[in-house]
mmCIF file of all heavy atoms in Angstrom:
data_model
loop_
_atom_site.group_PDB
_atom_site.id
_atom_site.type_symbol
_atom_site.label_atom_id
_atom_site.label_comp_id
_atom_site.label_asym_id
_atom_site.label_seq_id
_atom_site.Cartn_x
_atom_site.Cartn_y
_atom_site.Cartn_z
ATOM 1 N N SER F 1358 147.954 94.168 102.724
ATOM 2 C CA SER F 1358 147.128 93.149 102.081
ATOM 3 C C SER F 1358 147.894 91.840 101.894
ATOM 4 O O SER F 1358 149.032 91.834 101.427
ATOM 5 C CB SER F 1358 146.661 93.672 100.714
ATOM 6 O OG SER F 1358 146.019 92.662 99.983
ATOM 7 N N ILE F 1359 147.253 90.739 102.285
ATOM 8 C CA ILE F 1359 147.780 89.400 101.982
ATOM 9 C C ILE F 1359 146.614 88.516 101.572
ATOM 10 O O ILE F 1359 145.457 88.807 101.870
ATOM 11 C CB ILE F 1359 148.533 88.764 103.188
ATOM 12 C CG1 ILE F 1359 147.559 88.373 104.313
ATOM 13 C CG2 ILE F 1359 149.616 89.682 103.717
ATOM 14 C CD1 ILE F 1359 148.199 87.511 105.403
ATOM 15 N N ALA F 1360 146.913 87.420 100.908
ATOM 16 C CA ALA F 1360 145.887 86.421 100.620
ATOM 17 C C ALA F 1360 145.624 85.613 101.890
ATOM 18 O O ALA F 1360 146.511 85.448 102.729
ATOM 19 C CB ALA F 1360 146.350 85.506 99.488
ATOM 20 N N ASN F 1361 144.401 85.129 102.021
ATOM 21 C CA ASN F 1361 144.031 84.308 103.175
ATOM 22 C C ASN F 1361 144.989 83.119 103.303
ATOM 23 O O ASN F 1361 145.015 82.248 102.437
ATOM 24 C CB ASN F 1361 142.596 83.809 102.995
ATOM 25 C CG ASN F 1361 142.134 82.929 104.139
ATOM 26 O OD1 ASN F 1361 142.893 82.616 105.050
ATOM 27 N ND2 ASN F 1361 140.875 82.532 104.092
ATOM 28 N N PRO F 1362 145.786 83.055 104.388
ATOM 29 C CA PRO F 1362 146.785 81.985 104.489
ATOM 30 C C PRO F 1362 146.189 80.588 104.653
ATOM 31 O O PRO F 1362 146.871 79.597 104.411
ATOM 32 C CB PRO F 1362 147.608 82.383 105.730
ATOM 33 C CG PRO F 1362 146.740 83.315 106.497
ATOM 34 C CD PRO F 1362 145.873 84.011 105.503
ATOM 35 N N VAL F 1363 144.931 80.510 105.027
ATOM 36 C CA VAL F 1363 144.277 79.198 105.156
ATOM 37 C C VAL F 1363 143.967 78.623 103.775
ATOM 38 O O VAL F 1363 144.080 77.424 103.549
ATOM 39 C CB VAL F 1363 142.983 79.305 105.998
ATOM 40 C CG1 VAL F 1363 142.237 77.972 106.019
ATOM 41 C CG2 VAL F 1363 143.311 79.756 107.414
ATOM 42 N N ALA F 1364 143.583 79.497 102.849
ATOM 43 C CA ALA F 1364 143.148 79.042 101.526
ATOM 44 C C ALA F 1364 144.179 79.230 100.432
ATOM 45 O O ALA F 1364 144.144 78.537 99.417
ATOM 46 C CB ALA F 1364 141.858 79.776 101.123
ATOM 47 N N ALA F 1365 145.097 80.173 100.622
ATOM 48 C CA ALA F 1365 146.010 80.558 99.539
ATOM 49 C C ALA F 1365 147.469 80.425 99.968
ATOM 50 O O ALA F 1365 147.894 81.067 100.927
ATOM 51 C CB ALA F 1365 145.729 81.986 99.097
ATOM 52 N N PRO F 1366 148.253 79.604 99.293
ATOM 53 C CA PRO F 1366 149.655 79.396 99.644
ATOM 54 C C PRO F 1366 150.499 80.671 99.656
ATOM 55 O O PRO F 1366 151.449 80.765 100.435
ATOM 56 C CB PRO F 1366 150.144 78.417 98.581
ATOM 57 C CG PRO F 1366 148.917 77.648 98.209
ATOM 58 C CD PRO F 1366 147.807 78.655 98.259
ATOM 59 N N TYR F 1367 150.170 81.644 98.815
ATOM 60 C CA TYR F 1367 150.928 82.895 98.833
ATOM 61 C C TYR F 1367 150.665 83.666 100.131
ATOM 62 O O TYR F 1367 151.509 84.424 100.596
ATOM 63 C CB TYR F 1367 150.603 83.751 97.613
ATOM 64 C CG TYR F 1367 151.325 83.290 96.361
ATOM 65 C CD1 TYR F 1367 150.845 82.238 95.590
ATOM 66 C CD2 TYR F 1367 152.496 83.909 95.949
ATOM 67 C CE1 TYR F 1367 151.510 81.813 94.450
ATOM 68 C CE2 TYR F 1367 153.172 83.490 94.806
ATOM 69 C CZ TYR F 1367 152.674 82.439 94.065
ATOM 70 O OH TYR F 1367 153.341 82.010 92.935
ATOM 71 N N GLY F 1368 149.492 83.472 100.711
ATOM 72 C CA GLY F 1368 149.206 84.061 102.013
ATOM 73 C C GLY F 1368 150.029 83.398 103.105
ATOM 74 O O GLY F 1368 150.570 84.065 103.994
ATOM 75 N N THR F 1369 150.143 82.084 103.027
ATOM 76 C CA THR F 1369 150.983 81.338 103.970
ATOM 77 C C THR F 1369 152.427 81.810 103.886
ATOM 78 O O THR F 1369 153.091 82.026 104.908
ATOM 79 C CB THR F 1369 150.925 79.821 103.659
ATOM 80 O OG1 THR F 1369 149.558 79.397 103.655
ATOM 81 C CG2 THR F 1369 151.700 79.010 104.675
ATOM 82 N N ALA F 1370 152.909 81.994 102.661
ATOM 83 C CA ALA F 1370 154.284 82.445 102.452
ATOM 84 C C ALA F 1370 154.487 83.850 103.015
ATOM 85 O O ALA F 1370 155.541 84.158 103.593
ATOM 86 C CB ALA F 1370 154.624 82.417 100.961
#
Side-chain angles (χ1 to χ4, degrees):
S1358 172
I1359 71 169
N1361 179 356
V1363 175
Y1367 281 82
T1369 305

